Amino acid sequence: MHVADGLLPDPAGLREQLENLEDALTEYTDDEEADPEDTGLRLTPLDPRRPARDLLEDLLTGIHGCWLLHSEYDELDTDEDLGDAQDWDDEQAEEHQRRSRDRFAQLVRDTAAANRDRLV
Protein backbone atom coordinates (compact mmCIF):
# COMPACT_ATOMS: atom_id res chain seq x y z
CA MET A 1 0.00 0.00 0.00
CA HIS A 2 2.90 2.36 0.66
CA VAL A 3 4.25 1.75 -2.83
CA ALA A 4 0.79 2.43 -4.26
CA ASP A 5 0.88 5.78 -2.44
CA GLY A 6 4.29 6.55 -3.98
CA LEU A 7 6.25 5.81 -0.82
CA LEU A 8 9.04 3.31 -0.27
CA PRO A 9 9.63 3.50 3.49
CA ASP A 10 12.20 0.70 3.85
CA PRO A 11 14.11 -0.21 0.65
CA ALA A 12 16.35 -2.69 2.49
CA GLY A 13 13.31 -4.39 4.03
CA LEU A 14 11.65 -4.57 0.62
CA ARG A 15 14.76 -6.22 -0.87
CA GLU A 16 14.73 -8.76 1.98
CA GLN A 17 11.05 -9.52 1.30
CA LEU A 18 11.82 -9.99 -2.39
CA GLU A 19 14.68 -12.36 -1.56
CA ASN A 20 12.32 -14.35 0.69
CA LEU A 21 9.84 -14.43 -2.18
CA GLU A 22 12.52 -15.72 -4.55
CA ASP A 23 13.44 -18.43 -2.03
CA ALA A 24 9.79 -19.44 -1.64
CA LEU A 25 9.32 -19.53 -5.42
CA THR A 26 12.36 -21.74 -5.82
CA GLU A 27 11.11 -24.05 -3.06
CA TYR A 28 7.55 -24.41 -4.39
CA THR A 29 8.23 -24.43 -8.12
CA ASP A 30 11.32 -26.67 -8.09
CA ASP A 31 12.87 -24.18 -10.48
CA GLU A 32 16.44 -23.13 -9.73
CA GLU A 33 15.99 -19.82 -11.56
CA ALA A 34 12.50 -18.84 -10.36
CA ASP A 35 11.68 -15.28 -11.37
CA PRO A 36 9.22 -13.20 -9.29
CA GLU A 37 8.15 -11.45 -12.51
CA ASP A 38 6.62 -14.74 -13.64
CA THR A 39 4.15 -14.61 -10.75
CA GLY A 40 2.42 -11.47 -11.98
CA LEU A 41 3.10 -9.63 -8.69
CA ARG A 42 3.39 -5.87 -9.05
CA LEU A 43 4.57 -3.17 -6.67
CA THR A 44 1.87 -0.80 -7.89
CA PRO A 45 -1.83 -1.29 -8.61
CA LEU A 46 -1.25 0.15 -12.11
CA ASP A 47 -0.35 -2.12 -14.97
CA PRO A 48 3.05 -0.75 -16.05
CA ARG A 49 2.42 -1.86 -19.64
CA ARG A 50 -0.70 0.32 -19.90
CA PRO A 51 -0.87 2.80 -17.00
CA ALA A 52 -2.98 5.45 -18.76
CA ARG A 53 -5.66 2.96 -19.77
CA ASP A 54 -5.57 1.44 -16.28
CA LEU A 55 -6.07 4.89 -14.70
CA LEU A 56 -8.90 5.70 -17.12
CA GLU A 57 -10.68 2.43 -16.32
CA ASP A 58 -10.38 3.12 -12.60
CA LEU A 59 -11.63 6.69 -13.08
CA LEU A 60 -14.65 5.54 -15.09
CA THR A 61 -15.40 2.85 -12.52
CA GLY A 62 -15.23 5.48 -9.76
CA ILE A 63 -17.53 7.83 -11.63
CA HIS A 64 -20.01 5.02 -12.24
CA GLY A 65 -19.91 4.15 -8.52
CA CYS A 66 -20.62 7.79 -7.65
CA TRP A 67 -23.57 7.80 -10.02
CA LEU A 68 -24.92 4.59 -8.45
CA LEU A 69 -24.78 6.24 -5.02
CA HIS A 70 -26.36 9.38 -6.41
CA SER A 71 -29.18 7.45 -8.04
CA GLU A 72 -29.78 5.52 -4.82
CA TYR A 73 -30.08 8.62 -2.65
CA ASP A 74 -31.28 11.17 -5.19
CA GLU A 75 -33.94 13.45 -3.71
CA LEU A 76 -35.70 13.38 -7.06
CA ASP A 77 -35.78 9.59 -6.97
CA THR A 78 -39.33 9.51 -8.24
CA ASP A 79 -40.12 11.27 -11.47
CA GLU A 80 -43.55 12.86 -11.40
CA ASP A 81 -44.12 12.10 -15.10
CA LEU A 82 -43.48 8.39 -14.50
CA GLY A 83 -45.65 7.84 -11.45
CA ASP A 84 -44.84 5.51 -8.55
CA ALA A 85 -41.50 3.68 -8.91
CA GLN A 86 -43.04 0.35 -7.88
CA ASP A 87 -45.40 0.42 -10.87
CA TRP A 88 -42.79 1.17 -13.55
CA ASP A 89 -42.39 -1.02 -16.59
CA ASP A 90 -38.99 -1.48 -18.26
CA GLU A 91 -39.39 1.57 -20.47
CA GLN A 92 -40.27 3.84 -17.52
CA ALA A 93 -37.36 2.47 -15.49
CA GLU A 94 -34.97 3.19 -18.39
CA GLU A 95 -36.36 6.72 -18.70
CA HIS A 96 -35.86 7.27 -14.95
CA GLN A 97 -32.30 5.95 -15.21
CA ARG A 98 -31.58 8.28 -18.15
CA ARG A 99 -32.95 11.27 -16.22
CA SER A 100 -30.91 10.30 -13.16
CA ARG A 101 -27.71 10.11 -15.26
CA ASP A 102 -28.53 13.49 -16.80
CA ARG A 103 -29.11 15.06 -13.35
CA PHE A 104 -25.87 13.52 -12.06
CA ALA A 105 -23.89 14.79 -15.06
CA GLN A 106 -25.33 18.28 -14.60
CA LEU A 107 -24.45 18.25 -10.89
CA VAL A 108 -20.89 17.23 -11.72
CA ARG A 109 -20.62 20.01 -14.33
CA ASP A 110 -22.03 22.58 -11.90
CA THR A 111 -19.66 21.50 -9.14
CA ALA A 112 -16.70 21.58 -11.54
CA ALA A 113 -17.65 25.08 -12.70
CA ALA A 114 -18.02 26.29 -9.11
CA ASN A 115 -14.64 24.82 -8.14
CA ARG A 116 -12.78 25.49 -11.37
CA ASP A 117 -9.68 26.70 -9.50
CA ARG A 118 -9.31 23.27 -7.85
CA LEU A 119 -9.34 21.43 -11.21
CA VAL A 120 -6.06 22.79 -12.48
Side-chain angles (χ1 to χ4, degrees), residues 4-22:
D5 291 336
L7 304 171
L8 189 55
D10 184 10
L14 177 62
R15 182 66 215 153
E16 186 177 318
Q17 288 177 339
L18 289 175
E19 288 171 359
N20 291 342
L21 174 65
E22 290 171 359

Side-chain angles (χ1 to χ4, degrees), residues 31-104:
D31 185 4
E32 292 295 322
E33 297 295 321
D35 187 2
E37 290 183 19
D38 295 339
T39 64
L41 296 174
R42 296 189 312 224
L43 296 177
T44 173
L46 292 178
D47 184 346
R49 292 167 292 176
R50 51 183 216 111
R53 184 177 299 247
D54 214 18
L55 280 172
L56 178 61
E57 289 169 355
D58 289 347
L59 176 63
L60 293 175
T61 299
I63 291 170
H64 181 73
C66 290
W67 171 71
L68 288 174
L69 279 171
H70 173 266
S71 66
E72 183 71 25
Y73 296 102
D74 188 8
E75 291 176 4
L76 303 173
D77 199 26
T78 56
D79 288 318
E80 291 139 16
D81 305 5
L82 300 176
D84 189 17
Q86 295 174 352
D87 300 329
W88 289 348
D89 60 16
D90 289 343
E91 189 174 310
Q92 289 172 316
E94 286 177 17
E95 176 64 18
H96 172 72
Q97 191 173 30
R98 185 192 63 74
R99 288 181 183 186
S100 177
R101 276 195 307 265
D102 291 346
R103 282 194 301 268
F104 175 73

